[in-house]
Amino acid sequence: MLKCYKHRVILAIETSCDDTCAAVVEPDGRRALSNVVHTQTEHGRYGGVVPEVASRAHLERIDGVIERSLSEAGIGLAEVDRVAVTVRPGLIGALLVGVAAAKGVAYARSLPLVPVNHLEGHVAAAYLAEPALEPPFVALIASGGHTALYSVDREHHMHLLGETLDDAAGEALDKGARMLGLGFPGGPALQQAAQGGDRERYDFPVALKEKNNLDFSFSGLKTSLLYKLKDLGGERAREELSHLAASYEAAVVEALARKLLRAADLQEAPVLVVAGGVAANILLRHTLEEECAKLGIRLVIPPPELCTDNAAMIGAAVPHTPAV
Ligand code: KG4
Ligand code: ZN
């Protein structure tokens, strides 16, 4: 029998790390009708995400988060025609909670299940920000677990151009913030501590500057902060906090902007997309907006809430992902 729905929407679920997320997205993946994110606060006291704690917190929250995403969208389960879920990369126990929930809904309603790659989801957030956007473009993903540059072709296939050789940019910010005695997650804490600080006071290294490749490295930067803090001593470091935070943040931003613009140049890309949690960073956004305006390059950076982990971006990747 032919099913006849008012809407035929996508229900998307994301639980790859420490955010329990569900969203309802239009079938073309270009508009979210709801986007519910429950950020787990349990990890703060450990200074980083604890996988077992994350899995258990997802388990407690997932049903409520899915229900909220449907009610906020004004949609009943009968109007859902596909269920999308993040299947990789991520914490295995955390992923399993989302996958089990998605399978449950799909099986109960005889719906296709769409397995989405989290990184493709981050890039797809750009389609929610600019519904008319089409590849080809060059994309930078900078998150807590990944930092990589891709060329995205007309078929939405992602080709790796370069990636971090050690820490991810978000990881470097999180570790730096921790050394400075700031909270977790470190990116937003560092951004706040850097306010009013002098970005040029400390000369933190930007790695692989001269090399004609598109890789990143952040481990030297982290070590450099560690030695700087030892040199300064506790009291002086506390007085210098805003300058240290500003200089450290500026070094991460310079590394990301430099390589992205180099990739744009090498690929002759007229459009750049920046995605992942670190793309929420105000200094990175301003730096790239300024540079791209000078170069006449179109820059797409989703609003901060679509840069950090969410399920709307997972739904946005569905039109380019085969169902199982
Ligand atoms: O994409 P995401 O939410 O999760 C992963 O897939 O990893 O990224 C999380 C990362 C964390 O390292 C966090 O510190 C960083 O994004 N982040 C930021 C900002 N907001 C989140 N980094 C810099 N500035 C921000 N405003
Ligand atoms: Zn992510």
Side-chain angles (χ1 to χ4, degrees):
M1 200 177 73
L2 198 67
K3 292 178 181 175
C4 180
Y5 298 140
K6 192 166 60 155
H7 284 93
R8 294 173 63 82
V9 294
I10 301 162
L11 171 65
I13 296 170
E14 149 68 44
T15 61
S16 66
C17 192
D18 60 340
D19 296 300
T20 314
C21 320
V24 174
V25 176
E26 294 271 12
D28 63 358
R30 303 278 164 152
R31 194 166 80 95
L33 302 179
S34 68
N35 191 18
V36 178
V37 177
H38 168 76
T39 299
Q40 301 174 359
T41 50
E42 290 88 337
H43 307 280
R45 63 191 169 122
Y46 303 108
V49 178
V50 182
E52 178 68 14
V53 173
S55 311
R56 286 174 188 276
H58 284 310
L59 208 49
E60 280 168 23
R61 298 278 174 176
I62 188 71
D63 291 349
V65 166
I66 292 174
E67 274 166 24
R68 240 182 81 200
S69 74
L70 292 168
S71 70
E72 283 185 16
I75 289 288
L77 261 185
E79 289 157 283
V80 172
D81 82 339
R82 272 168 297 174
V83 183
V85 62
T86 306
V87 291
R88 77 178 76 80
L91 303 171
I92 186 64
L95 286 166
L96 274 170
V97 177
V99 170
K103 275 187 173 173
V105 176
Y107 185 72
R109 314 251 358 143
S110 303
L111 300 173
L113 190 66
V114 186
V116 177
N117 180 304
H118 182 77
L119 301 178
E120 290 177 17
H122 270 305
V123 171
Y127 303 123
L128 295 167
E130 286 205 16
L133 177 69
E134 290 296 340
F137 50 73
V138 163
L140 166 69
I141 299 177
S143 73
H146 299 88
T147 296
L149 281 163
Y150 296 90
S151 129
V152 182
D153 69 23
R154 278 176 213 284
E155 280 73 47
H156 295 266
H157 296 143
M158 289 167 56
H159 307 275
L160 187 67
L161 300 173
E163 63 187 330
T164 183
L165 305 177
D166 38 59
D167 290 347
E171 196 179 352
L173 291 167
D174 291 340
K175 289 177 178 171
R178 193 173 178 176
M179 283 188 247
L180 290 168
L182 302 168
F184 177 83
L190 206 86
Q191 175 173 283
Q192 199 177 353
Q195 271 178 22
D198 178 359
R199 295 200 283 268
E200 284 164 23
R201 173 90 66 124
Y202 295 99
D203 191 16
F204 289 118
V206 175
L208 307 172
K209 233 175 173 174
E210 315 309 331
K211 288 197 183 169
N212 195 21
N213 72 31
L214 297 173
D215 291 328
F216 304 85
S217 168
F218 294 102
S219 62
L221 170 65
K222 204 177 56 190
T223 312
S224 167
L225 176 61
L226 185 70
Y227 285 124
K228 184 53 70 190
L229 290 174
K230 275 192 181 151
D231 283 355
L232 288 170
E235 197 179 325
R236 188 91 187 91
R238 271 190 295 281
E239 287 166 12
E240 288 291 292
L241 178 64
S242 67
H243 306 308
L244 286 163
S247 304
Y248 190 85
E249 182 190 42
V252 174
V253 167
E254 189 189 333
L256 294 173
R258 186 181 275 273
K259 294 294 171 112
L260 175 60
L261 295 171
R262 187 173 296 170
D265 186 30
L266 291 172
Q267 298 282 313
E268 296 178 8
V271 183
L272 297 180
V273 165
V274 187
V278 180
N281 184 266
I282 295 168
L283 180 64
L284 178 66
R285 299 171 80 96
H286 285 173
T287 305
L288 288 173
E289 276 160 17
E290 247 178 66
E291 290 301 320
C292 288
K294 271 191 236 158
L295 296 165
I297 294 174
R298 181 174 167 210
L299 175 70
V300 181
I301 313 183
E305 66 276 14
L306 292 174
C307 290
T308 47
D309 287 351
N310 66 89
M313 70 183 198
I314 301 306
V318 166
H320 332 118
T321 313
V324 289

